[in-house]
Amino acid sequence: MSVLPPVRRDRIVAELPQCFKKEACLHTREIFHSMVTRACKQQRTGTVGFKISKIIVVGDLSVGKTCLINRFCKDTFDKNYKATIGVDFEMERFEILGVPFSLQLWDTAGQERFKCIASTYYRGAQAIVIAFDLTDISSLEHTKQWLREALKENDPSSVLLFLVGSKKDLSSPSQYALIEKDAIMVAKEMQAEYWSVSSLTGENVKDFFFRLASLTFETSVLAELEKTNSRKIGDIVRKYF
Ligand SMILES: Nc1nc2c(ncn2[C@@H]2O[C@H](COP(=O)(O)OP(=O)(O)OP(=O)(O)O)[C@@H](O)[C@H]2O)c(=O)[nH]1
Ligand SMILES: [Mg+2]
């Protein structure tokens, strides 16, 4: 018997949410991978429905990491800056293609003096969100260093990367166009998916987290299927040799 309350109705995903910019996205498929859809229909998703996927959010101080998580998880926005000390986390439960899927969103500190505490929590992430401020080019320049540090604790070949520009409401259209061009280049180099959001207005926030949850889910199901298949091949090998 499940002790968890049902998933909120506005956390149900039936179709793959689309990327923000086709030039810098993890994949351009419009629907979930057919193997994933089939596995979900046949309830062959193994442990995916019971596991909690870890997502870490990193980036310079004051770029808006905490506000981004709070806008999505609590639908609130605080205009006063309160530095994150070390780390904080929020849980979000989704239902994707009928399968329960939980994300643990780790909000880390950008301030130098709290960084060493925060970095001890980087390990074991399924996805890394590297945040920068769309009105501050230096925060975009620092994203590569944030990524390098986060990847020291994670497997670069399996972790999903997202480069997220924040405070869209504060940038003028011309300033925005300029920084977005650079951000797309950085995202491509990192092999990350690019998004821009505003936690003040909420623009793109829900779309971003739904995409993040869905791609993390898709990757987890594919990994689970691969594990099951290699186990099956192992059984055959054991049986005949
Ligand atoms: N206008 C506007 N302000 C924002 C937005 N997001 C964050 N801010 C403001 O930027 C400041 C810093 O936001 P935080 O979310 O605390 O930044 P942080 O990245 O968590 O900072 P650290 O915890 O120190 O790493 C606060 O004053 C927020 O109100 C946004 O989308 N629009
Ligand atoms: Mg913070």
Side-chain angles (χ1 to χ4, degrees):
M1 197 185 77
S2 168
V3 287
L4 292 169
V7 172
R8 279 169 52 173
R9 277 171 58 192
D10 60 352
R11 294 287 184 261
I12 294 177
V13 181
E15 273 158 22
L16 181 68
Q18 297 305 291
C19 62
F20 179 61
K21 288 276 164 189
K22 283 213 159 61
E23 307 97 284
C25 67
L26 290 177
H27 69 61
T28 51
R29 248 185 292 111
E30 285 183 2
I31 52 174
F32 278 107
H33 195 295
S34 57
M35 277 164 69
V36 172
T37 316
R38 210 173 314 124
C40 293
K41 266 197 197 126
Q42 300 169 347
Q43 300 184 327
R44 284 188 299 107
T45 51
T47 59
V48 172
F50 310 105
K51 277 199 298 219
I52 297 172
S53 294
K54 179 174 178 177
I55 312 295
I56 57 169
V57 184
V58 298
D60 275 5
L61 76 150
S62 197
V63 293
K65 301 178 292 297
T66 302
C67 285
L68 177 63
I69 292 176
N70 285 346
R71 169 57 78 197
F72 182 64
C73 299
K74 303 176 185 159
D75 203 16
T76 58
F77 178 79
D78 187 352
K79 64 178 182 4
N80 302 310
Y81 171 50
K82 277 186 231 85
T84 303
I85 299 169
V87 287
D88 242 329
F89 77 86
E90 289 290 333
M91 284 283 297
E92 269 300 325
R93 293 172 57 232
F94 295 83
E95 186 187 293
I96 305 180
L97 298 176
V99 179
F101 190 61
S102 298
L103 289 189
Q104 201 175 34
L105 301 166
W106 287 81
D107 176 18
T108 70
Q111 278 200 26
E112 198 58 41
R113 60 189 163 142
F114 304 128
K115 234 165 95 180
C116 62
I117 320 172
S119 61
T120 59
Y121 293 89
Y122 289 174
R123 186 160 302 170
Q126 265 79 55
I128 303 172
V129 177
I130 311 120
F132 71 97
D133 180 339
L134 286 162
T135 66
D136 174 9
I137 187 82
S138 69
S139 69
L140 174 63
E141 287 161 4
H142 298 155
T143 54
K144 285 182 195 157
Q145 181 58 29
W146 283 105
L147 176 62
R148 252 193 308 277
E149 280 168 31
L151 284 181
K152 277 188 205 154
E153 307 291 337
N154 287 287
D155 175 3
S157 68
S158 64
V159 73
L160 303 179
L161 306 178
F162 292 84
L163 180 71
V164 178
S166 64
K167 310 190 189 180
K168 190 161 187 253
D169 58 285
L170 290 181
S171 68
S172 67
S174 56
Q175 187 189 23
Y176 177 74
L178 270 178
I179 199 159
E180 178 163 88
K181 223 167 117 230
D182 290 346
I184 287 177
M185 254 164 52
V186 174
K188 277 179 166 170
E189 269 173 48
M190 290 177 168
Q191 296 187 304
E193 178 158 308
Y194 167 71
W195 280 80
S196 78
V197 297
S198 164
S199 304
L200 179 104
T201 64
E203 185 179 352
N204 295 338
V205 172
K206 189 174 173 201
D207 290 344
F208 164 64
F209 279 103
F210 270 52
R211 175 85 175 163
L212 166 72
S214 301
L215 293 186
T216 311
F217 174 79
E218 187 172 61
T219 310
S220 305
V221 176
L222 287 172
E224 188 74 22
L225 291 174
E226 203 174 309
K227 227 167 52 191
T228 321
N229 286 342
S230 57
R231 225 180 286 135
K232 271 192 198 141
I233 293 165
D235 286 348
I236 296 166
V237 172
R238 269 193 294 281
K239 214 159 149 185
Y240 291 100
F241 295 96

